[in-house]
Amino acid sequence: MLKDKKIIIGVTGSIAAYKSAELVRLFKKSGAQVRVIQTESSLDFVSPLTLSTLSGTRVLSSMIDVESGEWNNHVDLAIWADFLVIAPLTANTMAKMVKGECDNLLLAIYLSAKCPVYFAPAMDLDMYKHQSTINNISKLREFGNRLIPSKFGELASGLVGEGRMAEPSEIIDQIISDLSKDLPLSSKRVLITAGPTYEAIDPVRFIGNRSSGKMGVALAIECANHGANVELILGPSSLSVNHSNIKVNRVENTNEMYHLCLEKFDDVDIAFFAAAVSDYKPKHFVSEKIKKQKDSISIEFVKNIDILYEMSLKKKEHQIMVGFALETFNEIENAKEKLKNKNLDLIVLNSLNDNGAGFDYATNKVSIIDKQNNIFKFDLKDKTMVANDIVNKLIEII
Ligand code: CTP
C-alpha cells in the first residue's frame, strides 16, 4: 500500500531520533520514496549519513544547501510529498507548528504542506502531561494533522510513563490503516483459500498437486491493498505472506482447510476459493511407513469434502462467493455448470490448454463469468495483474 508513495520524514531533536533510522528503513522496504528533513538539534542525536544511506537521498537540514549554496525549495518538497511524517516530534517543534513559526526547513515544509501530516510526539512524561503540550496536540489535531500517540514505557530520563515515541512499525501500521479506509474494500472481510492440499498416505507420503498458491496469495495481497481484512487459508506452499491486513492460516489437508472455513465463513463478506483442493484422499492412513516389500500396491481413495460446495449450499447468506475452475476441455460450459451448481457470484476459469497459464506459472490467462453468464476474457498476464482484474470485477458487483 505504501509502494511508490512519496514520504517526507521530519526528524527533530529527541533521543527517540534513533528510531527514525528504522522508520526510514521500513518505509523504503514497503516501496515508498523517502526524503528526510532534520532539524539542527536532531543532528546531535542521529547522523544524516545514516539517514541518507537508508533513504537513498541526501538529508536536508537547512534552508540553504551548505554544499551547493542553493536554496532548498520547501514549497516543491511539500508539493512532492504524499505524506509528511514528523517522528519524533519534540515539544519545542510542536509548539512552533501550533504558532506557525518558521525558523527552519522542516517548519517551512510543514506550513506549505497540503498532504496529510502525521506527528509522533516524543518527550518526557511530565512534558507530555503539561497542559501546554495537551493544548498543542489538540490544536494540531484541529488543523487536521494526525496524531500517532505516544506510548507508555521506559523513558530516557529513567522515568516510566507516557511520552515514549510509538515504534516505527506502529507508525507505519497507523498510516496503512488510514490509507485503507478510503479504499473500495475497506471494512470488508475476505476469506481466501489458496494452494494445494496434501492428503497423507503414511507418515512420509502424501497425495497432492502442483499448485503453488501464487494465484490465491496474489488475490489476498490485492484484496488487502484495496483495504480488505483478509483471512488467507493457505495449503502447503513455499510462499510467505507479510501484510498487515492479511492473517495467514496454514493448513496441510482438506479437512483442516474445511474446518477453518467453517469457523470463519459466517464473519466474512466475500469468499474466494482459489485452492486446488485434492478431490480424493486415501481411505486409510497407514500409521507406519509403508515398506517396499510388495511388487505393487494399491491405495483406495475416497472423495474429499467439497469445501466450496459446503459453504455455498449450506452456509451462504450475504457472502459474495467467487470460485475457480481449472478445465482441460469444454471449458466455458464446465465453468458455467460449476457457477450454477456451486451457487457462485463469479467464477474464474483458467484453462490448462493456454500456454503460461495454470499451476506453478507466474502468469495466468483467465475468463471471468458472472451470474448472468456474461463472459469477460483477459490476456495472459502476471498473476498479480490477474488478481487485479478479478478484484476489479468483484468491486463492480458489490
Ligand atoms: N473446491 C473446493 N473443495 C473441493 C474441490 C474444489 O473448495 N474439494 C473449489 C475450488 O477451490 C474451486 C472450485 O471448487 O474454486 C472448483 O474446483 P475444481 O477442482 O475446478 O472443480 P471440482 O468441483 O473439483 O470438479 P472437477 O475436479 O470434477 O472439475
Side-chain angles (χ1 to χ4, degrees):
M1 205 169 290
L2 292 169
K3 194 165 182 315
D4 297 328
K5 290 273 183 268
K6 301 187 191 84
I7 297 168
I8 292 184
I9 301 182
V11 183
T12 72
S14 152
I15 184 69
Y18 79 91
K19 291 187 187 173
S20 54
E22 178 67 357
L23 186 61
V24 172
R25 196 185 71 80
L26 291 179
F27 273 127
K28 286 292 287 182
K29 209 172 145 209
S30 316
Q33 297 178 43
V34 178
R35 302 279 339 236
V36 180
I37 312 295
Q38 288 193 253
T39 61
E40 197 68 31
S41 64
S42 77
L43 301 174
D44 293 331
F45 293 96
V46 60
S47 138
L49 180 62
T50 306
L51 299 181
S52 61
T53 308
L54 290 168
S55 67
T57 52
R58 210 149 50 83
V59 168
L60 304 177
S61 55
S62 65
M63 298 293 275
I64 307 293
D65 188 272
V66 226
E67 277 172 32
S68 65
E70 282 170 16
W71 184 54
N72 285 321
N73 190 332
H74 57 90
V75 179
D76 280 356
L77 280 162
I79 290 171
W80 173 84
D82 294 315
F83 299 104
L84 171 58
V85 183
I86 307 182
L89 175 62
T90 56
N92 181 44
T93 300
M94 187 191 294
K96 288 181 177 179
M97 285 160 70
V98 169
K99 281 198 271 171
E101 286 185 17
C102 188
D103 61 2
N104 64 40
L105 180 63
L106 178 61
L107 288 165
I109 291 171
Y110 168 70
L111 288 175
S112 319
K114 292 190 181 66
C115 61
V117 176
Y118 287 87
F119 64 103
M123 59 197 79
D124 211 37
L125 86 152
D126 293 321
M127 294 166 78
Y128 193 67
K129 279 189 177 154
H130 196 280
Q131 194 56 48
S132 60
T133 305
I134 294 170
N135 293 350
N136 286 342
I137 288 180
S138 58
K139 202 75 203 159
L140 289 185
R141 296 184 78 186
E142 268 174 45
F143 293 164
N145 302 163
R146 302 173 185 185
L147 169 69
I148 299 170
S150 297
K151 303 287 163 186
F152 186 93
E154 204 170 300
L155 299 156
S157 62
L159 296 173
V160 174
E162 260 182 301
R164 200 183 141 109
M165 186 179 101
E167 293 305 317
S169 60
E170 293 169 329
I171 296 176
I172 291 195
D173 282 352
Q174 181 167 333
I175 294 173
I176 288 178
S177 142
D178 282 2
L179 279 173
S180 317
K181 286 182 191 133
D182 306 328
L183 295 169
L185 294 183
S186 66
S187 78
K188 298 280 183 223
R189 288 153 306 170
V190 174
L191 174 80
I192 299 177
T193 68
T197 58
Y198 287 176
E199 309 299 334
I201 296 170
D202 71 9
V204 292
R205 300 173 180 100
F206 62 85
I207 177 166
N209 58 62
R210 295 182 201 279
S211 167
S212 61
K214 279 186 190 132
M215 193 61 245
V217 166
L219 259 180
I221 293 171
E222 199 58 32
C223 288
N225 286 347
H226 279 78
N229 274 318
V230 180
E231 288 277 359
L232 174 65
I233 305 180
L234 182 59
S237 158
S238 59
L239 300 176
S240 61
V241 188
N242 201 349
H243 193 298
S244 54
N245 282 12
I246 304 177
K247 183 173 171 231
V248 186
N249 306 269
R250 298 249 174 202
V251 294
E252 172 86 7
N253 58 40
T254 308
N255 203 32
E256 288 167 12
M257 188 175 270
Y258 167 66
H259 280 101
L260 267 179
C261 282
L262 260 188
E263 185 187 311
K264 302 191 181 288
F265 190 79
D266 288 344
D267 293 332
V268 302
D269 305 294
I270 298 157
F272 290 93
F273 294 83
V277 182
S278 297
D279 286 329
Y280 292 90
K281 65 177 177 188
K283 186 169 184 186
H284 302 291
F285 170 71
V286 183
S287 56
E288 303 297 340
K289 184 185 166 201
I290 301 169
K291 302 298 269 178
K292 62 165 193 300
Q293 284 155 345
K294 300 180 191 161
D295 285 344
S296 71
I297 58 165
S298 44
I299 300 168
E300 190 179 349
F301 289 100
V302 289
K303 227 182 198 167
N304 244 332
I305 192 151
D306 188 321
I307 304 172
L308 171 48
Y309 186 83
E310 292 293 313
M311 297 302 129
S312 141
L313 274 272
K314 300 191 187 153
K315 288 189 71 72
K316 175 174 160 134
E317 287 174 0
H318 58 279
Q319 290 86 351
I320 305 270
M321 308 271 289
V322 184
F324 280 71
L326 179 68
E327 305 294 339
T328 53
F329 66 96
N330 223 357
E331 289 103 338
I332 296 279
E333 285 322 304
N334 285 341
K336 282 183 179 169
E337 195 68 17
K338 281 180 191 166
L339 177 82
K340 195 164 149 250
N341 292 344
K342 297 198 176 184
N343 190 19
L344 300 172
D345 297 281
L346 293 175
I347 193 153
V348 182
L349 162 68
N350 44 90
S351 162
L352 274 188
N353 295 329
D354 289 318
N355 281 337
F359 284 180
D360 223 9
Y361 283 102
T363 49
N364 205 359
K365 184 168 184 246
V366 302
S367 301
I368 302 177
I369 310 176
D370 69 13
K371 261 187 155 161
Q372 292 72 41
N373 278 336
N374 295 311
I375 303 171
F376 305 91
K377 294 191 172 181
F378 297 87
D379 295 334
L380 183 75
K381 307 178 178 183
D382 190 271
K383 282 183 176 164
T384 55
M385 300 313 290
V386 175
N388 183 262
D389 290 333
I390 297 170
V391 171
N392 285 340
K393 189 50 68 196
L394 171 95
I395 290 167
E396 282 175 24
I397 64 162
I398 55 175

